[in-house]
Amino acid sequence: APLPSSRAAQAARLPSLCPSLAAQPRTGRVRAAIEACDASESAPLVLYVAKMVYAVGVPGAHEADEFVGFARLFSGTLRPGSGGTVRLVAAAAGGGEGGEGG
């Protein structure tokens, strides 16, 4: 069978990706943006940082960067220097449901 589109797969996986967000009403702005894979400038920026790599002294890394992150973007548009607010959702120890930190 063919793989589902990003939009269909993302909406179906939301409960396992972020249970607390999946429990919110479908009318919520963040949930709607994730389910629609909304890449517009006005969409909330939601991403998952999968890995951080220490980059000091690494050829090709910007000299001001100590770490470089590899992330999957769920909604919004991210550009270098775009700034903004970072809201962390961290998994609890032992792989349980996540909590918010900041």
Side-chain angles (χ1 to χ4, degrees):
L3 293 174
S5 69
S6 295
R7 179 178 289 174
Q10 194 157 288
R13 289 190 310 235
L14 186 59
S16 62
L17 293 171
C18 189
S20 61
L21 185 60
Q24 293 181 7
R26 288 191 173 274
T27 56
R29 182 172 179 248
V30 173
R31 180 176 176 167
I34 291 172
E35 288 182 342
C37 295
D38 188 350
S40 68
E41 295 283 338
S42 62
L45 180 61
V46 180
L47 57 95
Y48 172 74
V49 178
K51 187 172 191 171
M52 295 292 292
V53 178
Y54 186 69
V56 173
V58 174
H62 190 277
E63 63 185 42
D65 293 338
E66 287 190 41
F67 291 91
V68 174
F70 296 90
R72 183 187 189 296
L73 194 62
F74 290 104
S75 74
T77 301
L78 183 63
R79 294 193 182 351
S82 60
T85 302
V86 175
R87 182 176 177 188
L88 301 175
V89 179
E97 279 198 35
E100 291 182 20

